[in-house]
Amino acid sequence: MKADMTLLAPVIAYLAAMYGLALWSNRTLARSSDFMEEYFLGSRTMGGLVLAMTLVATYTSASSFIGGPGVAYSMGLGWVLLAMIQLPTAWLTLGVLGKRFAIIGRRIGAVNINDFLWARYRSKAVVFFGSLSLILFFIAAMVAQFIGGARLFESLTGLDYHLGLTLFALSVVLYTTVGGFRAVALTDTIQGFVMIAGTVAILWGTIAAGGGIDAIMETLRQTDPALLSPFGPKNFIAKPYILSFWVLVCFAVIGLPHTAVRCMGYRDAKSMHRAILIGTFIMGFLMLGMHLCGVFGRAVLPELTVGDRIMPEITLHVLPPLWAGLFLAGPLAAIMSTVDSQLILASATLVKDLFVRYGRPGEPLPATAARTLRRAGFATTALLGLIVFAASLKPPSLIVWINLFAFGGLQAAFLWPLVLGLYWRRANGPGALASMVTGLGSFFFLSVYVKRFLGMHVIVPTLIAALVVFVAVSLATRAPDEATLAPFWVD
Amino acid sequence: MASEKKARGRFRQADREALYALALALANLAWWYLTAYGLGAGPVESYRYILGFPAWFFMSSIVGFILFAILAAAMVRFLFKDMPLDDGKGASW
């Protein structure tokens, strides 16, 4: 495939916009009196639209745009049904963590998830374990996203893999470092619009190429009637498995640190209300649209075999180059908006842990520390980003392996400490620590040795074990003291 | 502490909202499950079609999406309350 400038034009225009937003955010940062609040949480000023967009864009990654539709191509409508199980994510995450989380976050000055865990559990072990798993899983996940993006870039443009990787990985690192959380949230918003436009374009193109929905369904029925059933070919999508997916991609998403941190970054209650409304519509539209493209594509290009190649092939087949470039920007946007959020949160975690928490826990920082923190913030973000970039150039197999566990592992570690910390007074440090260790340990063990548990995804037994251990250990040890609990329960 | 026993105002409302959100998610799961498997469990030859899609898919994934997006909007409009997120001046935190 030859490089095509028409294809590249939308991508380049779009990267330029990212830099612009980063510079603008940097000016806001320079005027801000509190570096940590501004750089790591945009001073809690997100309005409804930005909150909705950054929440959905952070959550939708390469898998929603490339992997998922690829599976839908071979599984048919049953896989779209599976994807639609994610519809409640926006209202569930924002609603369950809720205003309690936003109010408490402001009180204790939390800019990341570990700040919350520290204030609630007063346990260095919980924070240390949390930081370690967060940074490990985030690095692995970011590397995997970068690799996916670079491959997509290569297959669509014909340009060298390393050139693509360098171009867009360094862009993400640069705009995140310069602009901080504000730049991340604003670019996520643009990226959200690009994803919507990309989805509309390819869906429309595929339906037209297939001769309308009736004709497409008829073709699919002749190919294999099972493509039109909720169970898929050979009953692959069994009921216990699909139901356990509700836990993995819907309920437990509440515990993902990079989406949870957004739930304390909004301006006011109205912003949260609007974000639930907008976020649910966008989430549903993207999931439905992208996965339908995969299914419809089966009728348009029936001969493809490699899952991840399907979306790029269909795109090039049904769309003129400029629109195909816009679609290329769609998944790249999904990737960038996930990576930038993980990068800024990983950086916040490191800076807080290394320079603030372990330095003088609980005490306000002296004014002279402000400059040090500012430098540490920029340096940590840039350094982390460059490490991820370097690892993507020649990915160590350990990182690829860790990434397989990142999504469920983060849920296993953070879901209960967050939710029980908010809603159960008796939850304490030993309970949280035991739960995190049990959750991660059993998730690794079950994923590697058991694979499926009673036909369900292993996230279900993992979360049950983590919950039981949390409650048992908390009840067996001392209740948290009133002074610790006060910010969490006194209204 | 006497004041926290009451957990009045904002926190009580926030807790209620969290329950509404969870309940709506469960309702969504129920709709999704019942329409998909209720209408789609039979043989493919017996399917009815709506706007080109099999009825089970149309009801679960398309109508379900629109319906619950509207219900989510109604939930925040009628059940969620506006409230200050800051503690205001004089707070001791």
Side-chain angles (χ1 to χ4, degrees):
Chain A
M1 218 178 294
K2 265 185 61 194
D4 187 340
M5 281 319 284
T6 340
L7 207 69
L8 272 179
V11 179
I12 289 173
Y14 163 64
L15 287 178
M18 305 290 105
Y19 294 132
L21 284 173
L23 287 177
W24 183 78
S25 304
N26 188 270
R27 280 178 48 201
T28 314
L29 184 65
R31 283 196 302 266
S32 163
S33 58
D34 188 336
F35 175 79
M36 300 293 272
E37 285 264 330
E38 171 59 32
Y39 190 63
F40 291 128
L41 210 50
S43 304
R44 303 178 210 271
T45 52
M46 281 191 289
L49 178 69
V50 173
L51 175 61
M53 289 302 224
T54 185
L55 199 66
V56 173
T58 298
Y59 179 67
T60 43
S61 60
S63 68
S64 328
F65 266 78
I66 304 296
V71 184
Y73 179 90
S74 45
M75 289 293 150
L77 290 177
W79 203 259
V80 188
L81 175 70
L82 179 68
M84 288 310 284
I85 213 168
Q86 304 171 72
L87 180 69
T89 321
W91 86 65
L92 199 57
T93 321
L94 282 170
V96 168
L97 293 176
K99 289 162 190 162
R100 214 178 231 283
F101 197 55
I103 293 170
I104 293 166
R106 283 166 161 77
R107 272 183 190 169
I108 60 179
V111 299
N112 66 34
I113 298 307
N114 275 338
D115 288 345
F116 173 86
L117 297 181
W118 170 249
R120 177 66 181 80
Y121 296 115
R122 298 281 162 197
S123 156
K124 283 193 175 178
V126 167
V127 170
F128 178 76
F129 198 75
S131 305
L132 192 71
S133 41
L134 187 141
I135 285 164
L136 213 66
F137 282 135
F138 273 16
I139 287 180
M142 287 190 276
V143 168
Q145 295 280 320
F146 274 165
I147 294 171
R151 286 213 184 109
L152 178 73
F153 187 85
E154 183 187 33
S155 69
L156 274 177
T157 62
L159 292 173
D160 182 50
Y161 172 86
H162 293 100
L163 179 72
L165 184 66
T166 310
L167 181 70
F168 98 103
L170 287 187
S171 298
V172 176
V173 175
L174 189 69
Y175 79 67
T176 308
T177 303
V178 170
F181 186 91
R182 187 177 294 274
V184 168
L186 290 174
T187 52
D188 281 2
T189 307
I190 308 280
Q191 284 152 357
F193 280 117
V194 171
M195 285 189 248
I196 295 169
T199 305
V200 171
I202 178 111
L203 189 60
W204 173 79
T206 315
I207 293 175
I213 293 171
D214 288 313
I216 290 174
M217 289 298 151
E218 184 52 31
T219 313
L220 292 177
R221 206 164 58 82
Q222 280 161 14
T223 312
D224 181 357
L227 291 173
L228 299 189
S229 88
F231 306 104
K234 301 190 185 102
N235 279 335
F236 182 85
I237 319 170
K239 263 193 221 171
Y241 196 62
I242 201 174
L243 282 174
S244 64
F245 252 74
W246 183 77
V247 175
L248 181 71
V249 299
C250 185
F251 175 72
V253 168
I254 297 169
L256 288 181
H258 47 302
T259 48
V261 74
R262 280 157 172 67
C263 299
M264 47 189 190
Y266 48 84
R267 190 194 310 129
D268 50 26
K270 282 206 178 70
S271 311
M272 184 248 226
H273 299 171
R274 282 194 66 199
I276 286 182
L277 196 158
I278 302 170
T280 303
F281 265 103
I282 295 169
M283 185 79 186
F285 179 76
L286 287 179
M287 291 300 154
L288 184 65
M290 284 319 302
H291 289 84
L292 270 183
C293 290
V295 177
F296 291 171
R298 180 74 176 262
V300 178
L301 289 176
E303 303 299 331
L304 301 176
T305 45
V306 185
D308 285 4
R309 293 280 307 137
I310 285 154
M311 288 316 287
E313 291 290 348
I314 292 171
T315 308
L316 291 175
H317 183 78
V318 304
L319 294 179
L322 190 71
W323 282 93
L326 190 61
F327 173 73
L328 167 66
L332 288 183
I335 290 165
M336 293 200 278
S337 58
T338 303
V339 173
D340 61 11
S341 312
Q342 293 179 328
L343 184 57
I344 196 72
L345 181 55
S347 169
T349 304
L350 271 181
V351 171
K352 271 287 187 120
D353 284 354
L354 295 179
F355 295 90
V356 185
R357 203 156 11 238
Y358 287 146
R360 300 167 205 78
E363 277 174 48
L365 285 159
T368 47
R371 251 218 336 245
T372 319
L373 273 184
R374 187 174 281 263
R375 283 193 194 133
F378 288 126
T380 310
T381 314
L383 200 66
L384 260 174
L386 291 176
I387 289 173
V388 173
F389 171 62
S392 314
L393 284 172
K394 207 168 177 292
S397 51
L398 180 68
I399 286 201
V400 178
W401 189 78
I402 291 174
N403 177 54
L404 295 177
F405 305 97
F407 193 79
L410 287 165
Q411 298 176 340
F414 290 101
L415 176 68
W416 296 127
L418 273 176
V419 172
L420 295 185
L422 276 175
Y423 292 104
W424 190 40
R425 292 178 57 104
R426 194 61 181 73
N428 64 14
L433 183 65
S435 167
M436 291 168 103
V437 174
T438 311
L440 271 181
S442 55
F443 187 66
F444 271 107
F445 177 81
L446 291 170
S447 305
V448 174
Y449 295 104
V450 183
K451 314 268 200 258
R452 282 196 190 188
F453 181 82
L454 302 177
M456 292 182 293
H457 192 280
V458 293
I459 192 70
V460 177
T462 298
L463 289 177
I464 293 173
L467 177 63
V468 169
V469 168
F470 199 134
V471 173
V473 174
S474 286
L475 290 177
T477 47
R478 269 185 36 204
D481 57 68
E482 290 296 327
T484 307
L485 286 180
F488 292 81
W489 264 272
V490 180
D491 200 351
Chain B
M1 279 182 262
S3 60
E4 81 191 74
K5 277 274 187 295
K6 292 184 211 151
R8 328 130 285 159
R10 294 185 299 172
F11 277 8
R12 175 179 283 185
Q13 171 63 21
D15 293 354
R16 228 180 267 145
E17 292 177 4
L19 281 178
Y20 295 141
L22 191 63
L24 189 64
L26 290 172
N28 176 255
L29 181 67
W31 171 277
W32 176 94
Y33 183 86
L34 292 173
T35 51
Y37 295 104
L39 297 169
V44 175
E45 296 75 47
S46 68
Y47 282 177
R48 290 193 305 112
Y49 290 81
I50 304 172
L51 298 181
F53 292 98
W56 72 264
F57 181 81
F58 188 78
M59 294 308 285
S60 66
S61 301
I62 298 176
V63 174
F65 160 39
I66 308 285
L67 175 68
F68 279 86
I70 292 171
L71 285 177
M75 174 176 78
V76 294
R77 171 74 180 76
F78 297 110
L79 298 175
F80 280 34
K81 298 252 156 57
D82 196 6
M83 61 173 79
L85 301 175
D86 290 304
D87 288 312
K89 286 206 174 98
S92 56
W93 309 107

